[in-house]
Amino acid sequence: MSSPPMIDGAFARWLAVRAGQALINLRDEVGFGDPGALKAAGDKVSHDLLRTELATWRPQDAVLSEEDEGSRLAWAAEAGASTAPRLTSDRVWIIDPLDGTREFAEAGRADWAVHVALWARHAPTPHGLVAGAVGLPAQDRVLGTDYPPGYPPVPAATAGQAPIRLAASRSRPPAFLTELAAEVGAELVPMGSAGAKIAAVITGEVDAYIHAGGQYEWDSAAPVAVATAAGLHASRVDGSALGYNDANPRLPDLLVCRKDLASRLLAALRRHCG
């Protein structure tokens, strides 16, 4: 097997492509007759592949994966390296091997993703993310920090010619989102995984993604890395900075949007989430 790229951003893309192809192959081989079995197999196949490649090519780096045992635990600040090595590591890969298992297990759906991000202790960015890739295997594309997408074109919504398009969960939209959308003159666009939603903001298919109600670092790390590399706004819903590789991996809310919409949406969020 040839060696992967050495540059972290290109390596993240390489990982996302390999995991994505494995998931496409699994879908073809297993089929959709047993969605539960397909979901479990998808999580395992992608996790095992990413973990193996990271151990081979980045053995000194720590990893936080959704599929790790105890990944959701809020480790005490004094946890030692033997308990949570990532807390003392200078470099941590934050991965979601299969973001959107529900959509992955439904025939014809393409709104699921593979997330690969790298956090570095001495990063110049507020969120600490220095590389990332979002694989959208069923859409045959990868968005990555190695070749950041261009800033999305100014939508009609900016000039008041059309409603703001807000990506929303098709199964678990935040309770306040309908009211907020009505206040700011927005329309909700149902989509599957968090990665697919933020990717849609990056490409300009929607104008913003708001989530409040429960996520973890792996749900947003890679998409946020790419979004901010493209020049988009990304923050908590109160406007504070997103943080990664915390002792508690829970990161329950976020806003990703065009910068020209950030102040307007944050003001509305203060009224609805304050």
Side-chain angles (χ1 to χ4, degrees):
M1 181 179 61
S2 61
S3 300
M6 293 302 298
I7 302 299
D8 289 322
F11 180 61
R13 180 184 293 270
W14 182 83
L15 289 173
V17 168
R18 287 178 60 80
Q21 188 57 59
L23 288 166
I24 291 292
N25 293 343
L26 179 69
R27 256 182 155 193
D28 292 341
E29 293 166 5
V30 174
F32 301 93
D34 186 343
L38 181 57
K39 291 177 187 178
D43 280 332
K44 178 173 173 50
V45 163
S46 186
H47 172 78
D48 288 350
L49 184 152
L50 292 172
R51 270 295 199 171
T52 297
E53 298 294 6
L54 285 166
T56 300
W57 302 109
R58 296 294 191 275
Q60 302 305 313
D61 295 349
V63 180
L64 171 63
S65 169
E66 179 183 16
E67 300 306 314
D68 286 333
E69 183 179 356
S71 62
R72 288 170 171 76
L73 291 178
W75 299 101
E78 64 272 13
S82 61
T83 305
R86 66 181 180 84
L87 297 181
T88 55
S89 177
D90 286 339
R91 289 166 48 96
V92 180
W93 292 90
I94 303 174
I95 61 174
D96 190 342
L98 176 51
D99 180 54
T101 52
R102 176 175 176 176
E103 288 73 25
F104 172 74
E106 292 184 27
R109 294 207 69 95
D111 48 349
W112 50 277
V114 175
H115 296 180
V116 180
L118 175 63
W119 173 92
R121 188 171 304 282
H122 305 296
T125 53
H127 49 46
L129 302 170
V130 295
V134 180
L136 300 157
Q139 300 177 33
D140 194 27
R141 61 177 174 170
V142 179
L143 304 177
T145 57
D146 56 337
Y147 295 103
Y151 197 79
V154 176
T158 300
Q161 299 172 9
I164 298 170
R165 301 158 299 171
L166 295 179
S169 171
R170 68 187 187 104
S171 58
R172 300 182 301 276
F176 69 88
L177 199 54
T178 300
E179 293 181 1
L180 184 147
E183 178 183 326
V184 301
E187 64 177 4
L188 301 183
V189 182
M191 293 184 184
S193 76
K197 295 185 190 77
I198 298 175
V201 180
I202 295 168
T203 59
E205 297 164 63
V206 297
D207 304 308
Y209 169 49
I210 298 170
H211 183 84
Q215 285 186 347
Y216 290 85
E217 291 183 7
W218 48 77
D219 292 307
S220 64
V224 163
V226 179
T228 53
L232 292 161
H233 171 91
S235 71
R236 302 287 299 271
V237 296
D238 63 0
S240 61
L242 293 160
Y244 294 89
N245 197 38
D246 288 338
N248 187 345
R250 189 169 182 270
L251 189 56
D253 59 77
L254 80 161
L255 164 66
V256 179
C257 66
R258 295 176 52 85
K259 285 187 174 178
D260 50 272
L261 294 175
S263 60
R264 181 178 174 188
L265 292 174
L266 286 169
L269 281 163
R270 283 193 291 272
R271 291 189 288 273
H272 288 271
C273 298

